Amino acid sequence: GAYYRFQYEPRHSIYASVIDLLRDPNTRDYSLYGAGPTPQAKGRFLWNESGEGHIFVTNLPSAPAGKMYAVWTIAQSSAPRYVGTITTDTVGQGGLHINTTSGSKVETFAVTLEPDGTTTAPTGPVVLASKQS
């Protein structure tokens, strides 16, 4: 029983959360486009204005040592808001479930390559964005 809880419950909980997002008619599905140093990267961002969402990425190489992939929501007339960090596997796939208070209507989603610990404002290159540049 302990092995099952350790191995499968976290994954099951994330899957259940994504299914709940997909069932909600207020959830929107945004495509993410590769940019800057990772034009081959792609992704999807499921987002609900309640502040819950899930990002899926593919073809995004692992972040170099000392760097991280920071996920940002950007609302009109406000600064980007850090909502988490994505870690990718050996084939460039990764994901992150987000639960935050949104406050404003989010218009753009972005992933940037940042120095580890950067959570106040994006400073590095955009690697994925919900709007093509």
Side-chain angles (χ1 to χ4, degrees):
Y3 176 78
Y4 173 82
R5 276 193 300 274
F6 175 75
Q7 191 71 14
Y8 297 105
E9 276 188 11
R11 195 176 308 159
H12 172 75
S13 143
I14 290 172
Y15 293 159
S17 296
V18 170
I19 289 169
D20 288 344
L21 275 172
L22 290 169
R23 284 185 179 140
D24 188 333
N26 294 316
T27 298
R28 299 291 174 250
D29 183 1
Y30 298 89
S31 294
L32 297 173
Y33 304 93
T38 59
Q40 75 286 357
K42 296 191 181 322
R44 299 186 88 138
F45 208 124
L46 298 176
W47 181 253
N48 190 297
E49 288 300 323
S50 68
E52 185 174 6
H54 196 94
I55 182 172
F56 302 89
V57 300
T58 189
N59 294 331
L60 186 63
S62 296
K67 301 278 187 172
M68 67 178 196
Y69 289 119
V71 182
W72 307 89
T73 58
I74 304 166
Q76 185 178 23
S77 304
S78 65
R81 182 177 182 168
Y82 171 79
V83 293
T85 303
I86 291 182
T87 304
T88 56
D89 62 16
T90 57
V91 294
Q93 294 182 338
L96 174 69
H97 196 79
I98 299 159
N99 232 335
T100 184
T101 55
S102 60
S104 303
K105 182 175 168 76
V106 175
E107 296 181 329
T108 306
F109 303 92
V111 177
T112 61
L113 182 62
E114 302 291 342
D116 277 338
T118 303
T119 60
T120 55
T123 59
V126 173
V127 295
L128 282 163
S130 61
K131 294 181 179 177
Q132 288 181 304
S133 47

